[in-house]
Amino acid sequence: MALWKKKLVLYIVMCICSSSTSGYVISVNSKFSSGGGLDNSLAALKSHDSLRHLHILAAGVDLPIGGIGRADTVGLYYANIGIGTPSKNYSVQVDTGSDIMWVNCIQCRECPKRGYHGLELTLYNPLDSVTGKKISCDHEFCLEVRKGSVSTCKSNMSCMYTEVYGDGGYSLGYFVRDVVQYDRVSGDRQTSLANGSVIFGCGARQSGDLGSDDDALDGILGFGKSNSSILSQLASSGKVKKMFAHCLDGVNGGGIFAMGHVVQPKVNMTPLMPNQLHYNVNMTGVEVGHEFLNLTADVFATGDKKGTIIDSGTTLAYLPEVIYKALVRKIFTWQPDLKLRTLRDQYTCFEYSKSVDDGFPPVTFHFEKSLVLEVYPHEYLFPFENLFCLGWQDSGMGTSDKKNLTILGDLVLSNRLVLYDLENQAIGWTKYNCSSSIKLKDEITGSVHLVGAHFLSSACSCWTQRALQILLLAILLHGLLS
């Protein structure tokens, strides 16, 4: 298994089939190609996370959502959603690190016509949809995302947005309201078509990696914490509960992405830290084997540019230097005779011919409310050619801005059901077989429905044939029919 396989890309695809109900299905694919060799694979992996963390740290820039950054162009979740009346399909990144949804619009002359893996892209035109309508600058939504009134706002003037990213790229345009189609769970392994009216950005210009033919998509679907996200908008209209979950199968490929109240499996939760832009939690300790690292309380403090962030858009796991050095030192006391080598000045690697689970200790992170995250050696040590490399990284090796941040990415989140409960401002996870099923509760009827694995029908005209692994799972947006 190559290094690039550690980064999973989760596709959520709405298939429109004649005379049948459309449904969300999922497959998991690796974004990283094996064709570039050792150096290119390592460079792509670390470059992805470095740019990702630029948006996590972005603040004070000209963002209508108050400094929230963007999804990086490598990795993350991709959805093919229906927008407008009549509905057209748009492929968007699903990002837990940003809030607003936006798609490129007909005014965007520099937007590529094809993007990731040759995917044909679509420009949204509000005039082509009978339900499409521009949002004025004095609209309540506009006032909220701009944190107040706009001094230059005049009658019938559009509400503009500018999404600026840490790498210098941007998307700018205006907000519109239109119908977004999705599927709700209506029974065991069954869905029915539903829709909701959502305000989103209509991108007229873009720059940077957003316009790259290799990585471009139609837009971004923000699943952040603010009231401007699609989740919050659908929840405010009674369509869904303000909860979602994902489960990435790092062994077999595949996964689950669900909106709604997950009742099985049971998940222990920890509070989200208040007044934070991202999914910040309070980490209280780190254990290697059965021994806690000797760390002071201030190492785990939460605040500006410090604390612990849960981010499925990050590939590896990043720790402040004081935690990183103590952790690595303790791990290698289990194998003191190893000859370590450093690749690209960043990755600690070594030769090892035995079972890593037998020769190295598990690492356990402890959080408020007694929630733990146990990471096994086969998860934090990834094989690359004839070596094993550490997935733990020093936060300070990139930029000084993130030196006090702990960012836990796919390295530790894969093969776990991660539940985001914004109704109660909590997050939690449990070790889980991500190719199995989960159960969701219908908040109106009280009934519980099963969501399990499915395979994509060849009758559907979808682009997932390009995926490297075709494990398809039913997905939901759990709410009321409009």
Side-chain angles (χ1 to χ4, degrees):
M1 179 171 61
L3 168 64
W4 45 266
K5 196 175 188 296
K6 295 305 293 183
K7 176 60 198 166
L8 302 177
V9 179
L10 181 62
Y11 294 91
I12 310 170
V13 183
M14 175 181 288
C15 298
I16 307 300
C17 304
S18 60
S19 67
S20 65
T21 303
S22 62
Y24 280 102
V25 291
I26 295 178
S27 70
V28 174
N29 181 26
S30 169
K31 176 74 176 193
F32 293 99
S33 170
S34 61
L38 171 66
D39 288 348
N40 288 344
S41 296
L42 290 175
L45 182 63
K46 198 58 176 280
S47 175
H48 158 70
D49 283 350
S50 295
L51 290 177
R52 172 74 180 174
H53 300 160
L54 284 173
H55 102 262
I56 285 178
L57 294 165
V61 295
D62 184 17
L63 295 176
I65 55 175
I68 299 296
R70 66 158 176 126
D72 191 74
T73 54
V74 179
L76 290 179
Y77 310 103
Y78 292 79
N80 195 22
I81 61 174
I83 303 177
T85 308
S87 178
K88 294 183 179 180
N89 282 353
Y90 299 86
S91 299
V92 292
Q93 296 179 1
V94 180
D95 180 25
T96 61
S98 62
D99 295 303
I100 70 168
M101 166 185 166
W102 60 265
V103 294
N104 288 318
C105 278
I106 195 68
Q107 293 92 344
C108 187
R109 297 180 179 178
E110 66 271 28
C111 290
K113 299 186 184 303
R114 290 191 176 273
Y116 175 67
H117 277 194
L119 178 67
E120 185 174 352
L121 303 180
T122 303
L123 296 178
Y124 172 77
N125 188 350
L127 299 179
D128 288 343
S129 173
V130 298
T131 49
K133 182 181 179 181
K134 291 184 179 181
I135 297 299
S136 64
C137 57
D138 58 356
H139 190 280
E140 180 181 2
F141 180 90
C142 191
L143 297 177
E144 179 169 342
V145 297
R146 289 186 172 275
K147 310 302 180 185
S149 61
V150 180
S151 58
T152 57
C153 180
K154 297 180 181 179
S155 179
N156 297 323
M157 183 180 291
S158 294
C159 179
M160 307 299 292
Y161 80 90
T162 304
E163 190 82 298
V164 180
Y165 305 124
D167 63 350
Y170 64 82
S171 169
L172 64 86
Y174 53 91
F175 283 112
V176 298
R177 180 192 292 275
D178 209 339
V179 171
V180 174
Q181 291 189 354
Y182 56 90
D183 281 356
R184 64 179 290 270
V185 170
S186 55
D188 285 350
R189 304 176 186 271
Q190 296 179 351
T191 61
S192 57
L193 188 63
N195 62 66
S197 180
V198 173
I199 297 175
F200 57 92
C202 189
R205 290 187 61 188
Q206 63 174 224
S207 74
D209 288 337
L210 292 175
S212 167
D213 289 344
D214 294 332
D215 298 321
L217 288 159
D218 288 318
I220 289 177
L221 184 62
F223 266 80
K225 295 167 61 178
S226 85
N227 292 332
S228 60
S229 72
I230 185 172
L231 176 66
S232 296
Q233 291 187 60
L234 292 174
S236 66
S237 61
K239 303 287 184 182
V240 299
K241 296 290 288 184
K242 206 171 180 181
M243 303 173 176
F244 69 97
H246 61 70
C247 193
L248 300 176
D249 189 334
V251 178
N252 302 311
I256 302 170
F257 189 96
M259 276 182 164
H261 186 182
V262 178
V263 295
Q264 186 176 323
K266 297 293 184 182
V267 178
N268 294 328
M269 308 295 286
T270 190
L272 288 169
M273 301 302 292
N275 305 316
Q276 298 294 315
L277 295 176
H278 303 284
Y279 292 105
N280 291 69
V281 292
N282 182 24
M283 187 163 68
T284 58
V286 181
E287 188 179 3
V288 180
H290 300 291
E291 184 177 349
F292 279 90
L293 297 181
N294 185 19
L295 301 168
T296 58
D298 62 296
V299 172
F300 304 110
T302 297
D304 183 33
K305 299 179 182 178
K306 60 183 178 180
T308 302
I309 296 173
I310 305 299
D311 180 38
S312 60
T314 289
T315 307
L316 303 174
Y318 294 79
L319 306 168
E321 182 180 24
V322 62
I323 300 179
Y324 171 79
K325 286 187 174 181
L327 176 67
V328 172
R329 187 184 308 115
K330 181 63 67 174
I331 287 174
F332 285 127
T333 61
W334 285 55
Q335 297 291 338
D337 297 327
L338 287 177
K339 294 182 178 180
L340 304 180
R341 64 179 72 176
T342 301
L343 300 183
R344 296 189 63 86
D345 299 323
Q346 298 172 18
Y347 295 92
T348 300
C349 303
F350 53 90
E351 293 184 5
Y352 193 75
S353 59
K354 301 178 182 179
S355 167
V356 292
D357 283 330
D358 293 337
F360 293 86
V363 174
T364 305
F365 297 95
H366 292 256
F367 300 88
E368 187 177 348
K369 298 290 186 181
S370 301
L371 180 65
V372 298
L373 179 59
E374 187 172 18
V375 187
Y376 299 98
H378 71 267
E379 294 175 312
Y380 69 76
L381 292 171
F382 54 86
F384 189 79
E385 296 188 351
N386 63 333
L387 302 174
F388 280 97
C389 298
L390 273 178
W392 310 118
Q393 298 293 301
D394 184 348
S395 296
M397 290 296 289
T399 64
S400 60
D401 284 344
K402 68 174 186 177
K403 66 180 181 180
N404 295 317
L405 275 176
T406 295
I407 304 175
L408 302 179
D410 284 347
L411 179 85
V412 300
L413 299 180
S414 294
N415 306 310
R416 292 161 180 84
L417 180 71
V418 183
L419 175 61
Y420 303 74
D421 183 357
L422 297 182
E423 301 274 346
N424 299 296
Q425 289 297 298
I427 189 173
W429 46 80
T430 185
K431 192 75 176 175
Y432 200 62
N433 178 2
C434 295
S435 62
S436 61
S437 303
I438 63 174
K439 289 184 178 180
L440 303 164
K441 182 180 179 181
D442 188 316
E443 299 297 328
I444 302 301
T445 67
S447 59
V448 175
H449 300 311
L450 183 69
V451 177
H454 291 273
F455 289 94
L456 180 64
S457 169
S458 60
C460 290
S461 178
C462 297
W463 49 272
T464 50
Q465 289 87 348
R466 299 178 182 275
L468 299 180
Q469 298 165 326
I470 316 279
L471 177 62
L472 301 176
L473 305 176
I475 191 174
L476 55 105
L477 284 173
H478 192 242
L480 302 173
L481 283 171
S482 58

